[in-house]
Amino acid sequence: MPARVPSAKLRKAARLLLYRSRSKPGVKGWELARALGRDYLEVIKALNNTLEVLGLEVVAVDEEGRRLSLEGDLRRALFLVLLKEPPSIQEAKTVGWRIDDLAVLAASLLYLMARGGRAPRSDLMSVLKSRFRYPRLSYVVERLLRLGYLEEEGDQITIGWRSRVEIDLEKLVGVELEPRGESQLR
Amino acid sequence: MIVFHEYTAPRWELAAITLGAQWRRCCGLRRVEARLRELLEEVLETLRASPDPFKVRVREILDELSALLPRAGLEEMPLDAEILFRLAEVVKRQGEWIMGEAGAMALGRLFALLKVKLLDNRELALQLLESWRPIVELEQITFTEIMRALDYLSRRRPRALITEEGWELRAISREEMAALGILSERQLGELLSRVRRRLLRLLSARGVVRYGEAIRGDDRYETYLNAYALSHLASLGEFEIVYDPLEDEYYVTRGTEEGEPVSIVVPLKLVESDAG
């Protein structure tokens, strides 16, 4: 059971985590420690209990986007608030996602996973073009790159950090794709 | 002259030395035995705690065993053999694990490609939604950003057309165009039928027609009217206008039920050169 935490600290933690302060979402562990004190992990655990009622959860991830347990030294980890359950199709539409855009993201991730996590941009685009006769295709791919769901390394497209954080990639495929790493607790 | 006398230790002293050696040896053996038991416990405990055989430190334990073996007595040999037996089991399980994982990975990649190929847009989106837990964050604007926006807006050159007094700029409806005599209802109906017939003829031969070719008229005015008619037919779902970003080209195809309807702007400057 988490320790009792003053409500002022909880409010401060919620503001830090929920308000976006830079282009990449999330707050670093050292920033939380500076603002909340040494027992910042206890504050986060207590905040999690409060957020659970709203269907939200605070998670810590490493630089690769892998989930970390809320124990030990997490000053270098990135803390984010996620939905505790997947959104409905209506909710996704409400926040600005079109069905076709979601389908492009799903197809891109599935194709990249089938290729071991990366593929030349031209290959991915030709697969998407054969799959979607969709005038907004290039725009959607650029948007996914901008949001961090996909990443670009030279002429290669890779699975972005945000996809690793937000999407259970193994569940998306339906079969385990990568050998379990020790730090991957999901 | 120095004379060295051979020293003969008394019997009690010899007994004490022998006892000390045995004691030290006994202590050493006990330490070896304790360490061997610890290693065996570690192997068994790791295997119990996780199904992953790679969690066992096979190489390190083997190195330690080879260091302990010269110091071990006959009594410790069964323990040593037991650890080696367990490690052999671990290596066997590692082999099986690798084969299983490789199979699952190959199957997973096949599954992923099949999903891309077979699922329609809605099914793909639903699959993604089931495994998606998006980041939640609140967007806000800072005072600095407001000042920057004001600065930007004040520096922008006016882009609206300057209209003379008594003139008004606004979108004109089909009915108003008919009322003004620019386009009659009858003419529009005829125009739609003509463009429809022409497109169906072109599409029956090729399946896809370049946009410029689809709306080409005898002069610029007729080209624009054809473009207007095509946009009307596309809104009715009879035809579809597709943009190919790689070739920067617009195409016209037959209308499909798939996907969501979207508005598309086609700059007519691109096709003016095609107009007769």
Side-chain angles (χ1 to χ4, degrees), chain A residues 18 20 25 57 81 83-84 86-87 98-100 110 129 131-132 138 166-168 171-173 175 177, chain B residues 101 104-105 108 112 115-116 119-121 129-140 244-245 260 262:
Chain A
L18 285 168
R20 186 176 194 159
E57 182 189 17
V81 181
L83 282 191
K84 211 165 166 57
R98 299 160 70 120
I99 302 271
D100 292 337
L110 285 166
K129 274 179 73 183
R131 178 67 186 68
F132 302 96
S138 291
E166 294 186 5
I167 300 165
D168 187 340
K171 192 174 176 187
L172 177 63
V173 177
V175 180
L177 275 172
Chain B
E101 286 296 309
M105 282 169 73
K115 280 189 172 178
V116 175
L119 297 184
D120 66 27
N121 288 7
L129 283 173
E130 280 173 18
S131 46
W132 192 30
R133 288 172 55 200
I135 294 170
V136 178
E137 55 187 349
L138 297 170
E139 302 263 356
Q140 79 279 5
D244 180 352
E260 293 177 18
V262 290

Side-chain angles (χ1 to χ4, degrees), chain A residues 5-146:
Chain A
V5 172
S7 58
K9 275 199 175 182
L10 283 182
R11 287 198 295 273
K12 195 171 185 179
R15 281 199 298 272
L16 277 169
L17 285 160
L18 285 168
Y19 274 121
R20 186 176 194 159
S21 55
R22 55 178 80 88
S23 60
K24 192 173 175 179
V27 185
K28 286 280 187 184
W30 64 264
E31 289 176 290
L32 288 173
R34 195 175 59 183
L36 304 171
R38 279 185 186 174
D39 61 342
Y40 69 102
L41 283 180
E42 290 305 319
V43 180
I44 296 301
K45 285 176 194 169
L47 181 64
N48 253 342
N49 285 350
T50 312
L51 290 179
E52 194 177 8
V53 184
L54 304 173
L56 306 175
E57 182 189 17
V58 182
V59 298
V61 296
D62 66 10
E63 283 159 5
E64 302 285 318
R66 286 176 297 210
R67 194 74 58 82
L68 304 168
S69 65
L70 294 177
E71 302 291 343
D73 184 10
L74 295 178
R75 281 164 193 268
R76 297 181 69 178
L78 186 70
F79 287 75
L80 299 149
V81 181
L82 301 186
L83 282 191
K84 211 165 166 57
E85 289 164 0
S88 67
I89 203 161
Q90 203 54 48
E91 286 165 344
K93 278 183 174 177
T94 309
V95 293
W97 283 92
R98 299 160 70 120
I99 302 271
D100 292 337
D101 296 0
L102 289 171
V104 170
L105 174 57
S108 305
L109 291 175
L110 285 166
Y111 178 69
L112 290 174
M113 282 189 284
R115 295 281 302 262
R118 61 173 56 230
R121 188 188 179 108
S122 54
D123 288 6
L124 177 68
M125 286 309 289
S126 65
V127 166
L128 293 177
K129 274 179 73 183
S130 68
R131 178 67 186 68
F132 302 96
R133 292 184 61 80
Y134 191 30
R136 296 172 70 247
L137 188 58
S138 291
Y139 164 74
V140 175
V141 172
E142 289 303 326
R143 183 172 173 231
L144 295 175
L145 284 165
R146 205 169 54 245

Side-chain angles (χ1 to χ4, degrees), chain B residues 51 62 76 107 118 182 205 224 227 229 231 234 239 246:
Chain B
L62 280 174
E76 284 77 38
L107 198 63
L118 300 178
I182 298 169
Y224 286 1
S231 73
F239 298 98
L246 294 184

